[in-house]
């Protein structure tokens, strides 16, 4: 099963797509558990790519996943992302779509058809996978170097009121590939959901 994450950029930010394959461990009489996630695809769209073109590109990527046994997509619905989510839902992708609003809050919650997930939790989820050796990058993957640099650059910064802000700080630094990957990994660790589902428990 493949899981895709889409981080939507704006005028000065790139849009990024990441795809991971979930590899399960199987034991007799037990529910399959996560063995590892393999990064199969990652790309950064040209700066300023129109959203209709982004939707067309996402459709190409997820259709490849469907051909390989199924695909689920988690989309950044923060800010301008909401209309793009509607465009994706109308594009007949053929895979499940989960809208995620990335917040600066402290708790994950579901409201109005959208999952509100703290950015620090998304990034921390990646860090845990890396520390456990459960996240692997496929050999010869394009943009692997850029992804590794982003993973190194992303850090926690204490903001006003004691809130922790996650991001890549400094001139010329980005975190779009990391967020796309974090969304894909976040979705891969949850059970299948449908529209209107109120709970999305982890596996």
């Amino acid at each position: 099963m493949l899981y895709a994450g889409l981080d939507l950029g704006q005028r000065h930010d790139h849009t990024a797509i990441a795809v991971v394959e979930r590899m399960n461990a199987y034991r007799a009489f037990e529910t399959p558990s996560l063995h590892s996630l393999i990064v199969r695809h990652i790309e950064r769209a040209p700066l300023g790519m129109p959203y209709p073109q982004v939707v067309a590109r996402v459709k190409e990527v997820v259709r490849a996943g469907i051909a390989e046994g199924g695909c689920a997509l988690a989309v950044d619905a923060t800010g301008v992302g909401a209309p793009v989510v509607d465009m994706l839902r109308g594009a007949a992708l053929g895979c499940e779509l989960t809208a995620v609003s990335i917040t600066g809050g402290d708790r994950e919650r579901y409201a109005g058809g959208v999952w509100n997930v703290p950015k620090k939790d998304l990034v921390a989820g990646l860090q845990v996978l890396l520390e456990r050796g459960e996240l692997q990058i496929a050999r010869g993957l394009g943009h692997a170097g850029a992804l590794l640099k982003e993973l190194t650059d992303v850090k926690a910064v204490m903001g006003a009121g004691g809130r922790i802000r996650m991001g890549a700080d400094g001139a010329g630094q980005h975190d779009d590939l990391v967020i796309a990957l974090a969304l894909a990994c976040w979705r891969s660790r949850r059970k299948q959901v449908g529209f209107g589902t109120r709970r999305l428990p982890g596996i």
Side-chain angles (χ1 to χ4, degrees):
M1 179 80 172
L2 298 182
Y3 296 87
L6 174 64
D7 179 43
L8 291 167
Q10 299 184 41
R11 181 174 297 179
H12 302 294
D13 303 306
H14 292 273
T15 289
I17 307 169
V19 179
V20 298
E21 181 179 7
R22 177 175 170 135
M23 310 299 291
N24 286 326
Y26 294 91
R27 296 178 182 175
F29 310 112
E30 293 184 12
T31 301
S33 59
L34 175 68
H35 177 267
S36 62
L37 294 171
I38 303 174
V39 185
R40 293 295 186 191
H41 178 84
I42 193 156
E43 68 177 83
R44 178 182 283 149
L47 198 62
M49 175 182 277
Y51 291 133
Q53 291 183 26
V54 170
V55 171
R57 178 58 185 150
V58 170
K59 191 170 185 176
E60 291 177 354
V61 172
V62 300
R63 280 190 170 176
I66 293 167
E68 294 186 23
C71 181
L73 172 66
V75 183
D76 171 17
T78 313
V80 298
V84 182
V85 169
D86 290 338
M87 291 171 63
L88 287 163
R89 283 178 172 156
L93 297 179
C95 74
E96 176 214 292
L97 187 154
T98 302
V100 179
S101 179
I102 302 172
T103 74
D106 298 319
R107 289 190 311 167
E108 182 176 307
R109 63 186 179 86
Y110 180 88
V114 177
W115 282 92
N116 295 276
V117 182
K119 187 173 184 178
K120 63 182 179 63
D121 289 356
L122 287 173
V123 176
L126 275 185
Q127 293 172 336
V128 169
L129 288 168
L130 289 166
E131 289 168 2
R132 293 177 177 174
E134 295 175 348
L135 183 64
Q136 304 169 21
I137 298 176
R139 291 181 181 274
L141 187 71
H143 287 98
L147 172 61
L148 291 172
K149 184 178 187 307
E150 283 192 16
L151 286 168
T152 302
D153 290 341
V154 168
K155 55 181 71 82
V157 177
M158 185 72 75
R163 284 186 174 272
I164 297 175
R165 180 172 59 84
M166 301 296 301
D169 291 318
Q173 295 184 8
H174 303 280
D175 63 2
D176 44 272
L177 295 175
V178 164
I179 297 304
L181 179 58
L183 286 166
C185 292
W186 175 87
R187 181 60 194 87
S188 74
R189 302 190 70 179
R190 279 146 178 84
K191 294 179 181 179
Q192 183 174 357
V193 297
F195 297 117
T197 301
R198 291 292 175 180
R199 293 180 58 81
L200 189 62
I203 296 177

